Amino acid sequence: MRVLKALAAVSLFLFSPAVPSLHARETDLRPALPATAQAVLVEAEGFAQRGGWVVDPQFMDQMGSPYLLAHGLGRPVADAATEVEFPAAGDYRVWVRTKDWVAQWNAPGAPGRFQLLVNGRPLETTCGTEGAQWHWQDGGSVKILERRVRLALHDLTGFEGRCDAVLFARDPQFTPPNQDPEMAALRRVCLGIPEQPEPAGEFDFVVAGGGIAGTCAALSAARLGLHVALIQDRPVLGGNNSSEVRVWLQGARNKEPWPRLGDIVAELEQPRRAHYGPTNTADLYEDDKKLALVRAEPNIRLFLEHRANAVETESGKILAVVAQEIHTGRRVRIAGRWFADCTGDAAVGALAGADLEIHP
Ligand SMILES: Cc1cc2nc3c(=O)[nH]c(=O)nc-3n(C[C@H](O)[C@H](O)[C@H](O)COP(=O)(O)OP(=O)(O)OC[C@H]3O[C@@H](n4cnc5c(N)ncnc54)[C@H](O)[C@@H]3O)c2cc1C
């Protein structure tokens, strides 16, 4: 069942005009993809098993979607894999969206090399070997014999190989678009993502960013009786104080004249600590405890693995935040009365047009 769900999320079929309910989609796609170019798009972050690859959503505002990163500190990571249902057997031209991440410094060696395996067989092309910018690397042609196909990303180096997406096109002349708005249209149509964000409710208080600031704000507001939305772009809460970054939590809390200020921090604080280095292990950060505390609050709706990347404003006032789900690309509209920007980067403020200066 999980595999089927993943399939639904990652695979797209551009169908023949004989499928009436999909006509509208085909029309939408016309600027991006000719109707003849039956294609299957698979977003890397939608792979059902990610193996040792990690999802990096940091640049999805620029790229439109996250990508998978082989962060192995020099040891190749385990394969990411997924199954995809093709519309038909036949010959397909393969494109892999990637880059050589050291090319911008003219550094040799292409350390982020990886292979795409189709039903266990690697393409002849090694991916991640060309181009300083994200681009569709031509992977040549493959013959698909059966509609159900297993794909895998096979890391060769353990040094930050990057894969954004894989596309199989029936039309050998078709080159996938590499820039928005065409690329966004391709993704939307291929993955069946609605053009408008889906309504996800109205809240008293919408918190963007689930680091310690956002988690405390959400817990506090919920306990005071507000209906709260907490939007966090990672699979865990805590931000810098999560197992992902590993900065421990402590501070001058519960001091006069505000003796209760810090009660929630105390609930979140982890008793065991280690200084930076090998003893600073992931378990010390008790990610599960933070998630359990938030999930125990009936007044909080947690939008985990959602990135706030648009706002709706009227007369200079924020009405709603739009958040994009990391793995599927689906977008939700989260409306509210009050908003807290706890992204650590003032992301919501910047999106809303607040004055912004960035200093090195
Ligand atoms: C190495 C290091 C050492 C430090 N040492 C100290 C110290 O000794 N003393 C001290 O006082 N401070 C220290 N700090 C700073 C302290 O860790 C931060 O000030 C604090 O963690 C900020 O918490 P936050 O919740 O505001 O932000 P963050 O911890 O940055 O959390 C923000 C969260 O929001 C998420 N997010 C970002 N954008 C979006 C979006 N658009 N949509 C949804 N989610 C989003 C992020 O993924 C993140 O999880 C240190 C920081 C680092 C990195």
Side-chain angles (χ1 to χ4, degrees), residues 57-58 61 207-216 230-234 236-242 244-251 276 303 305-310 321-324 326 341-348 351:
Q58 286 185 86
D61 300 345
V207 182
I212 291 302
T215 304
C216 288
L230 175 58
I231 310 165
Q232 164 70 337
D233 63 357
R234 306 297 311 168
V236 294
L237 294 170
N240 286 324
N241 176 243
S242 67
E244 294 187 322
V245 186
R246 305 188 194 179
V247 179
W248 66 82
L249 178 62
Q250 69 176 98
Y276 303 117
F303 292 87
E305 297 195 86
H306 278 74
R307 183 162 175 90
N309 58 10
V321 167
V322 173
Q324 181 173 334
I326 300 291
D341 184 344
C342 298
T343 61
D345 301 321
V348 172
L351 287 166

Side-chain angles (χ1 to χ4, degrees), residues 154-171:
H154 181 65
D155 178 29
L156 295 173
T157 62
F159 266 125
E160 321 304 335
R162 289 155 158 86
C163 181
D164 177 32
V166 180
L167 185 134
F168 295 82
R170 285 304 292 272
D171 180 351

Side-chain angles (χ1 to χ4, degrees), residues 293-307:
L293 272 171
V294 165
R295 289 196 163 123
E297 291 299 332
N299 275 350
I300 299 182
R301 178 149 169 218
L302 178 60
F303 292 87
L304 208 58
E305 297 195 86
H306 278 74
R307 183 162 175 90

Side-chain angles (χ1 to χ4, degrees), residues 4-85:
L4 285 178
K5 273 191 176 165
L7 282 178
V10 299
S11 54
L12 131 81
F13 313 128
L14 287 184
F15 304 94
S16 73
V19 185
S21 61
L22 295 170
H23 264 288
R25 283 195 196 169
E26 206 168 275
T27 310
D28 288 345
L29 190 58
R30 209 155 282 155
L33 187 59
T36 52
Q38 272 198 327
V40 176
L41 174 68
V42 186
E43 285 282 3
E45 66 277 7
F47 269 45
Q49 295 111 37
R50 288 192 287 282
W53 295 68
V54 292
V55 177
D56 187 347
Q58 286 185 86
F59 303 103
M60 61 188 277
D61 300 345
Q62 291 77 36
M63 297 172 58
S65 80
Y67 61 92
L68 281 188
L69 178 73
H71 180 59
L73 294 172
R75 289 207 185 112
V77 304
D79 291 359
T82 199
E83 285 191 15
V84 180
E85 186 109 359

